[in-house]
Amino acid sequence: MAVDYAVIVLYLAGMLAMGWWGMRRAKSKSDFLVAGRRLGPVMYSGTMAAIVLGGASTIGGVGLGYQYGLSGAWMVFTIGLGLLALSVFFSARIARLKVYTVSEMLDLRYGGSAGIISGVVMWAYTLMLAVTSTIAYATIFDVLFGMDRTLSIVLGGAIVVAYSTLGGMWSITLTDMVQFVVKTIGVLLLLLPIAVIKAGGFAAMKAQLPDDYFAPLGIGGQTVFTYVLIYSFGMLIGQDIWQRVFTARGDKVARLGGTAAGTYCLAYALAGAVIGTAAKVLYPHLGSPDDAFATIVKDALPVGVRGLVLAAALSAVMSTSSGALIACATVANNDIWARVKSVAARRRPAAEEAADAGRAPGTEQAGDAAEEHDEVRGNRIFILLMGLAVIVIAIALNNVVEALTLAYNVLVGGLLVPILGGLLWKRGTAAGALASVAVGGLTVVGLMVSLGVLANEPIYYGLIASLVVYVVVSLATKPTDPEVLAAWRARLAGRPDGAADEDPEEEATGDTAVAVARVLTPSSVTGRA
């Protein structure tokens, strides 16, 4: 195992080095949170594929293949479908908004009154996503070094927190590219063909396993439908995914790069299911399906290759964990804490306002640079704090599947309708959005309490309730201010200064520019003073 250990140690050291290098590039808030919005198609598609394919997609995907055969690919397959839908239909518009969080998008669309509750929901989702990813370190380090569960979580979590805190999205982007390459080589190019060969080929696998293992819907039609609702729709609205869309250099990169990443996810899904099916032939009596990945890696692969494949599994976990961590910190800082500060700022004495207005010429640029530096430092602090919280919760939590299901159910049940409604239906209002978030989220939570976290019904009824309330309340309340919608359309059209569309009727009012400026002030959009 010495060679395998050396591969893993070098990999972990490389991750920290990438974090240090990324720190030198993260000079502004845009650099730190969205990599300066300048990723090209190769880096964008690689990092997007890395974040969506985590430990659940790798270890869990192989486990589903072990349990259900080729239909075990459906969970990861629906993730790929969701990413494809996001990339083809929404990514260009999302990228043009030039915001940092989903809640900022809701503020822009509904006039600055829908962001806080959505921020809390999104923060809870990203926190639990980071926690469940962090727990997966325990499985991998146990296979590698026989480590204690708590020590494994602390070690893996500390490395992710370190490079994420140092360089923000630049560090995460660089490490994700490495992780994407390692994952591709380790899982697709090495483990997949070796597993099939060890199992005797597809003909031998089909001869030794029941026909259900090769049926497209062997896992169950209702299960596939639930996967679509949770994972495909979850890809459309998750802060961790949107924050990667914000890194794209332009519309074309977001669309084509995301499409390439989604297609890669489909191939990865099938690969995991085939590996799991091969493991069922080789080891038919494992105690848990989730043990299939570690078992086939340990027993079927040669020295060195085994270390690389385990590094690939570690890559999958780290990419999702770091992406969820920066998303969690971004929401906590920009959507929650910034709003608290904005309330305090509005109460500043008039004398302080006058002093600000009377600053000496030449001090504005220095003040802007200092503010930019403070924002980078503030986001670093929040990543560190959220990272420590994630490690502590991960140590205390046992049931990963329930935690992840709870997070996705609340996210989709509460936020899917107001987000997609805001993008697709101009009659949607702030009151409708707030009611939709509250009713959908509470319905999901209430049904999970009564029926069980893993039941299918909570997400079904939660989405129905959210949609009905959104439509009814929106139609029953005053339409969104036309000037808010004008500013929204301007941002969707790629005019970040908020210049309104040329509309003679609106120009006749004479106050469109004033309204647009009011809508796009930081206090109304992001809650920052």
Side-chain angles (χ1 to χ4, degrees), residues 3 22 38 46 84 91 107 130-131 155 170 220 232 249 282 310 326 387 392 436 474 478 518:
V3 176
R38 57 179 184 266
L84 284 171
S91 63
D107 276 349
V131 166
L155 176 61
W170 267 121
S232 295
R249 189 168 57 203
L282 295 170
L310 288 173
I326 194 172
V392 170
S436 177
S474 292
K478 184 179 177 181
R518 184 184 69 246

Side-chain angles (χ1 to χ4, degrees), residues 81-281:
L81 292 177
L83 184 53
L84 284 171
L86 174 71
S87 302
V88 172
F89 298 113
F90 301 107
S91 63
R93 282 185 281 180
I94 292 170
R96 286 196 294 265
L97 289 174
K98 302 297 183 186
V99 295
Y100 292 102
T101 68
V102 174
S103 294
E104 288 182 39
M105 167 262 167
L106 291 172
D107 276 349
L108 279 171
R109 169 60 181 82
Y110 295 111
S113 59
I116 184 62
I117 186 171
S118 66
V120 172
V121 172
M122 190 64 75
W123 174 78
Y125 156 73
T126 53
L127 179 70
M128 293 311 299
L129 183 61
V131 166
T132 54
S133 300
T134 302
I135 291 174
Y137 297 130
T139 301
I140 297 171
F141 282 113
D142 178 55
V143 173
L144 289 173
F145 309 115
M147 272 188 186
D148 173 72
R149 177 181 184 274
T150 299
L151 183 59
S152 299
I153 291 173
V154 171
L155 176 61
I159 292 171
V160 170
V161 171
Y163 72 69
S164 300
T165 302
L166 286 172
M169 187 59 82
W170 267 121
S171 293
I172 292 171
T173 296
L174 295 170
T175 55
D176 278 358
M177 276 305 298
V178 175
Q179 290 160 355
F180 171 74
V181 172
V182 171
K183 194 185 306 183
T184 301
I185 296 173
V187 175
L188 294 182
L189 302 183
L190 293 177
L191 183 58
L192 174 60
I194 291 173
V196 173
I197 292 170
K198 289 278 187 180
F202 285 103
M205 291 163 59
K206 195 163 185 178
Q208 296 184 53
L209 294 173
D211 291 340
D212 287 348
Y213 267 71
F214 301 91
L217 295 177
I219 197 171
Q222 187 180 29
T223 299
V224 174
F225 181 64
T226 303
Y227 283 161
V228 171
L229 290 182
I230 294 177
Y231 296 113
S232 295
F233 286 142
M235 289 296 105
L236 297 180
I237 60 174
Q239 169 67 26
D240 51 326
I241 309 302
W242 277 41
Q243 200 157 343
R244 294 308 173 98
V245 176
F246 300 150
T247 66
R249 189 168 57 203
D251 297 0
K252 190 174 181 181
V253 170
R255 187 182 295 110
L256 297 182
T259 301
T263 304
Y264 178 90
C265 291
L266 303 183
Y268 200 87
L270 185 58
V274 171
I275 293 168
T277 305
K280 183 67 175 179
V281 173

Side-chain angles (χ1 to χ4, degrees), residues 91 108 151 238 391 406 485 502 521:
S91 63
L108 279 171
L151 183 59
I391 291 172
L406 173 64
L485 290 178
E502 294 184 3
T521 54

Side-chain angles (χ1 to χ4, degrees), residues 320-402:
T320 300
S321 181
S322 58
L325 177 58
I326 194 172
C328 177
T330 302
V331 171
N333 188 18
N334 291 270
D335 293 334
I336 300 175
W337 174 242
R339 294 171 192 273
V340 175
K341 290 196 300 181
S342 71
V343 173
R346 285 197 293 269
R347 296 176 180 174
R348 287 193 305 169
E352 291 185 25
E353 298 286 353
D356 288 344
R359 284 187 301 176
T363 61
E364 286 190 14
Q365 289 185 346
D368 291 343
E371 182 180 352
E372 196 73 23
H373 175 73
D374 288 343
E375 287 194 330
V376 173
R377 183 179 63 181
N379 281 292
R380 277 201 176 102
I381 292 172
F382 267 87
I383 288 180
L384 179 61
L385 293 175
M386 293 299 102
L388 294 175
V390 164
I391 291 172
V392 170
I393 297 171
I395 292 172
L397 197 65
N398 288 320
N399 198 317
V400 181
V401 175
E402 290 193 358

